[in-house]
Amino acid sequence: MHQNRPRLGFFYCACLGLFAAIPSGCKRADPAPNAPIPQILRISQRNEPADLDPARASLPDELFIIRALSEGLVAPSPDNAPPSPAAAERWEISPDGLTYTFHLRRNAHWSNGEPVTAADFLESYRRVLTPATAAPKAPLLYMVKNARAFASGELRDFSAVGFHAPNPYTFVVRLEHSSPRFLAYAASGPWIPVNVRTVARFDRTWTRPDHYVGNGAFTLVEWQPHQRIVVRKNPAYHGAARIRLAEIQFLAFDNGDAEERAFRAGQLDVTMAVPHTKLDSYRREHPAELHRAPLAETRYLTFNTTRPPLDDVRVRRALSLAIDRDQLVQRVLQGGQAPAFRLVPAALRAPGDSAAHLGSAFRADPATARELLAAAGFPGGRGFPRLELTSWTVGAPLTEVIQAMWKKELGIDVALVTREARVHVAALREGHYDIGFITAIPDVADPANLLDDFTTGSPGNYPHWSDARYDALVAQAARTPDSTLQSGYQREAEARLLEAAPLAPLYFNATNWLMRPAVRGWHPDALWTRFYPDVYLHED
Amino acid sequence: MLRFIARRLLETIPVLFIIVTATFFMIRFVPGGPFTAEKAVTPEVMRNLERAYNLDKPLWRQYAGYLGKVVFHGDLGPSFKYPNRTVNEIIADKLPVSLELGAWAMLIALGLGLPLGIIAAIKRNTFMDYLCSAFGMIGICVPTFVLGPLLALSLGIYLHLFNVSGWYGPTDRILPGVTLGFVYAAYVMRLTRGGMLEVLNQDFIRTARAKGASEFRVIFRHAIRGGLLPVVSFLGPAIAGILTGSFVIETIFQIPGLGREFVNSAFNRDYTLVLGTVILYATLLIGLNLVVDVVQVWLNPKLKFE
C-alpha cells in the first residue's frame, strides 16, 4: 500500500492537464450561414409543471404546455376576444340560454390516431368532477347542471349532470343558470379533454412523453423535470396547415438572473420576466427586446376586519386613502403596473365598463384620511396600536414605502413582517394577521371569479368580511342571463366592497419579458394564455 | 475493524429513526400545506384533495403508514407536488446529476488544492507560497453566487465557450464543476499546507533527510501520509456538503439536481419529498463520516479502532 503513495503526484498532474485541455475542444457550433432559420422556439418555463394532466393543472404555467398538447371544445382568443372554435367547429345556444350544443370536428384525432368524439369529452368531464380525481379547478365546471353536487359527492349518478353525448360528434351541455360568460369557462383548463383510455391504461404516469396522448397542435416528445420539455408539431392535427413552429422547447428556469443570462447568451428566445435591476438597461440599450403587457392581476392590502381597530370602516378607509398609488407604481415598481382604484382589472370588465374607479375613489387624499382617523378616535395617529403589515418575499420595497406613507400622512407606525409564501397565505386564511399584502389572479375572464372570493365564508375571503347585501348582489349577478344586467349587479357589488374597504387595491400587475426580434406573432395575454398557432421565427 | 463498522452501522438505525420522526412531524406543523395557494380552493375540493393524499387520516396513522412503507418496502411514497412521479423516481432521476456535479467539483478541489497545498508547504515563505496562499484566500472569500455568474458572464456570454445554463452536453459540466470545486479547492489547499508544514517539522522527517532520502521521497513517502490527515477529516462533511449544498450552483446554472429538489420540496410542502431527501442526506452523511473515520485510522498510526 505504501508503495503506491508516490504515484499520487503524477495522478494530480494528469488531472490538471486534463482540465486544461477540455475547454479548448468544446466551442459551440455556429449555424451554417444562409440556412433557413429552424422553426424551433425556446421559451423559458419558470415553474416546473406539477403535471401535464388538464384535470390536475392549477397554474397557468402548466397550461402553457397543456394548451400546446391538447385543446378543449373552444379555446381562448387573443386580445380578449370571445373564445374561438377548437375541437368543436361550431355550436348553438338554446333560446333560454341554458343548453349549448357543440358540433365536433369530424377530422379531429388524438395523437394516437383515434378520432376525438363526444364520448371523450363526457368521460373527461366525469373524471374532472369525480371526487377521487381531486381536480383543483373542478369549480370551473360548476356552471353545468348538477356538476357541483356530483363533485361534492352529494350526487352519485353522473347521468344527472348536464353533459350529454347524443352521437359521436355532438356534445350537449346543460347549465344550471344561463350565463353570458359560459364560453369563457368552457375555454378554461379543466375543460380540456384527456384520452380516457390512455389514462386508464397508464394511470398516474399517462402524462409521460412515451404515454402522452393529446388532441392538440403539438405532441410531447421530451420531459426532463427541471430541465426541459419539448413538444413537436403534430402533423395529424386538424389545423396543422397553419401551425408554423416545428418545435417548442420549454426550458426550465427558477431564477430570474439565470434566465436573463441564458437569453443574453442566445440560449432562449422568450423569457418569462426581466430582473427588476435589468429593466433600465434593456430599456436604454435593447428596447426592441423588452416587452410589456398588462395582467389581469390585482395586488391589494387585505385588512383583518375581525381585529380592532380594523373592524372600523373609517380606519380602513383612512389607511387606504393615505396611500399614493401613483407614487407606488411610478417610483417603486417601475414595471408598467397601473394604479388600482378598484378590484376588477380592465381585462375582466364588461365592454361598456371602462371606469378606472367606482363610487368613492381611493385617489390619495391625506386630508380626508386624517379626518376619518380622527373620527375613529385616533387624531394625529395618537393611541393607534402598532399593527403588523405582512407580506411574502416579493413585497419588500413596496410595503416599506406604504409604511412610510402611513407614518408621514397619518402619524401611525406599522411593523413590517415578511413570511414564506405559504405561511403567509395560511395566516391570511386563518385570520392570524393585521394587514396583509396579497394578490388576486382570476382563473377566467369573469369578474365573478374575483368577487366570489369576498362573499361570506369564502375560503379566499382573507379580510374575513361579511356583508349580506354584497352576498346578495353577487348571487343575483350569477343568476342573471343578460350580460348588461349581470355586469351592472357586479359593478354594484364591487362598489359596495370598495365602500366598506375590507381591502385596499394597490395596483394592477403587468408583465415584462424579453423576446428576440425574430419571434413574430406572439400575443401577450392578461390571463397568461399562450397562443402558439400564430407564432413563428423570422430572420431579417 | 469489521466489528467497529458493524457497531457504527447499528448505531445508525436509531439515529435515522429519530431524524425521520422529527422531520415528519416538524414539516406537518409548518403552517400552510401542499395545496395552499393565493387562489384558495373551495372546501369540497380541499376535502377531495386531502382524501386523495390520505391527509384526512389521523396524523399518527399517516406516520405509521409512512414508516411501514419506508422500512418494509423502501417505498418513499408518491410526491405531493408531482403526482406522476414517486419520490423514489425523483431521487433516482436527480441524485446521479448531483453525484456527477459533486464528482467533478471534488476532482477539481483535490486536483487543484492538494498540489498547491504541497507546493506552498515545501516552498514556505517564498513567492510560490504567497501565490498559492493568495489562491486559498480568494477561493474562500469569493462566494459561489459571485464566481458562478462571473464565469458565466466571461466564458459564456462574452467568449461563447460554454452554455450559461442547462445540463445537456459534457461541456455543460465545466462551469458548475469549476465554480463548486473552487471553494473546496481553496479549503483543501489551506488544510494541506497546514498539515504538511506540521509534519515537515517533525523528527522523523529530519531523520529521513539525515539518512539521505531524496526530497521527493521525503515528501511523497514520509510526509504526505500525515500531512493529508486534516484534508481527510474535512472530506467527509465536504462530500456531503457538495451533494446537499449544491442548491446555489444548481440554481445559477439551472442543473436538474437533487439540491434544488431538497430546498424546493420544503417550500412546496411536498411532505414525502422532504422526508425522502432528508432520509437520503442523513444516510449519506452518516455513511461518509463512517468512511472518514475508517480512513483516518488507516492513515494515522496513533489512532485505533474502538
Side-chain angles (χ1 to χ4, degrees), chain B residues 38-56:
Chain B
E38 60 264 41
K39 185 85 185 160
V41 297
T42 57
E44 78 281 356
V45 168
M46 188 54 103
R47 266 201 310 280
N48 292 343
L49 281 165
E50 286 177 345
R51 196 169 306 144
Y53 287 90
N54 275 328
L55 292 176
D56 56 340

Side-chain angles (χ1 to χ4, degrees), chain A residues 2 142 254 267 420 462, chain B residues 38 44 164 225 260 269:
Chain A
H2 288 219
Y142 285 180
D254 47 18
Q267 288 176 249
E420 188 263 344
Y462 300 131
Chain B
E38 60 264 41
E44 78 281 356
V164 297
R225 188 170 169 191
R260 280 198 300 161
R269 306 289 190 276

Side-chain angles (χ1 to χ4, degrees), chain A residues 177-516:
Chain A
H177 307 287
S178 159
S179 166
R181 302 262 183 177
F182 167 67
L183 283 179
Y185 284 81
S188 68
W191 286 78
I192 296 172
V194 297
N195 184 295
V196 280
R197 292 161 297 284
T198 305
V199 177
R201 187 163 160 219
F202 297 109
D203 196 26
R204 61 174 184 85
T205 66
W206 82 267
T207 51
R208 295 189 185 175
D210 39 348
H211 300 162
Y212 204 98
V213 171
N215 67 339
F218 298 86
T219 53
L220 183 65
V221 294
E222 184 185 327
W223 182 3
Q224 296 182 50
H226 286 110
Q227 180 77 326
R228 69 172 174 187
I229 293 173
V230 179
V231 303
R232 206 161 286 156
K233 182 174 170 172
N234 174 11
Y237 176 61
H238 60 80
R242 67 192 181 99
I243 305 293
R244 299 171 75 170
L245 288 175
E247 184 177 308
I248 310 175
Q249 301 181 354
F250 299 91
L251 307 182
F253 285 94
D254 47 18
N255 171 278
D257 292 309
E259 180 191 33
E260 192 268 343
R261 278 197 297 275
F263 180 81
R264 245 194 304 166
Q267 288 176 249
L268 260 183
D269 298 314
V270 185
T271 71
M272 191 61 188
V274 187
H276 195 260
T277 48
K278 303 266 169 61
L279 273 176
D280 243 359
S281 58
Y282 272 99
R283 207 157 20 213
R284 277 197 318 270
E285 291 157 30
H286 307 280
E289 294 179 349
L290 179 64
H291 298 261
R292 172 172 289 178
L295 288 176
E297 177 186 353
T298 315
R299 297 212 163 169
Y300 64 94
L301 294 182
T302 159
F303 300 118
N304 187 345
T305 59
T306 63
R307 285 191 182 176
L310 295 169
D311 54 350
D312 187 331
V313 61
R314 291 169 299 188
V315 173
R316 301 196 297 261
R317 289 193 59 82
L319 291 172
S320 191
L321 286 168
I323 299 170
D324 186 342
R325 291 161 174 78
D326 294 301
Q327 279 238 29
L328 290 184
V329 166
Q330 287 159 17
R331 295 277 186 82
V332 185
L333 300 165
Q334 302 183 333
Q337 294 85 348
F341 302 101
R342 57 186 289 190
L343 175 69
V344 177
L348 267 58
R349 293 177 203 154
D353 178 5
S354 57
H357 46 85
L358 292 173
S360 44
F362 286 120
R363 290 243 176 259
D365 184 356
T368 313
R370 276 189 289 271
E371 276 171 32
L372 282 166
L373 200 64
F378 308 103
R382 277 190 298 280
F384 196 83
R386 191 173 158 84
L387 300 179
E388 280 183 352
L389 170 53
T390 55
S391 64
W392 79 109
T393 41
V394 304
L398 190 86
T399 46
E400 281 163 22
V401 175
I402 292 172
Q403 179 192 40
M405 286 173 177
W406 283 341
K407 175 77 184 154
K408 178 169 167 259
E409 304 297 352
L410 303 176
I412 63 168
D413 277 308
V414 294
L416 298 183
V417 180
T418 302
R419 291 187 174 137
E420 188 263 344
R422 281 172 202 252
V423 173
H424 178 57
V425 173
L428 297 192
R429 177 102 179 72
E430 304 293 321
H432 299 318
Y433 76 102
D434 297 322
I435 305 168
F437 177 58
I438 188 70
T439 180
I441 305 173
D443 289 320
V444 286
D446 183 0
N449 199 265
L450 291 181
L451 296 172
D452 278 348
D453 278 345
F454 298 96
T455 53
T456 305
S458 158
N461 188 340
Y462 300 131
H464 300 267
W465 174 73
S466 172
D467 181 74
R469 174 86 187 119
Y470 175 83
D471 296 351
L473 281 166
V474 170
Q476 195 164 7
R479 283 193 308 269
T480 305
D482 179 78
S483 67
T484 320
L485 275 175
Q486 185 186 59
S487 52
Y489 288 130
Q490 286 171 339
R491 243 195 337 270
E492 209 181 322
E494 192 186 353
R496 189 156 175 94
L497 178 75
L498 296 172
E499 185 70 39
L503 57 92
L506 295 176
Y507 64 92
F508 298 120
N509 207 3
T511 168
N512 291 272
W513 76 99
L514 302 171
M515 187 161 72
R516 245 165 252 307

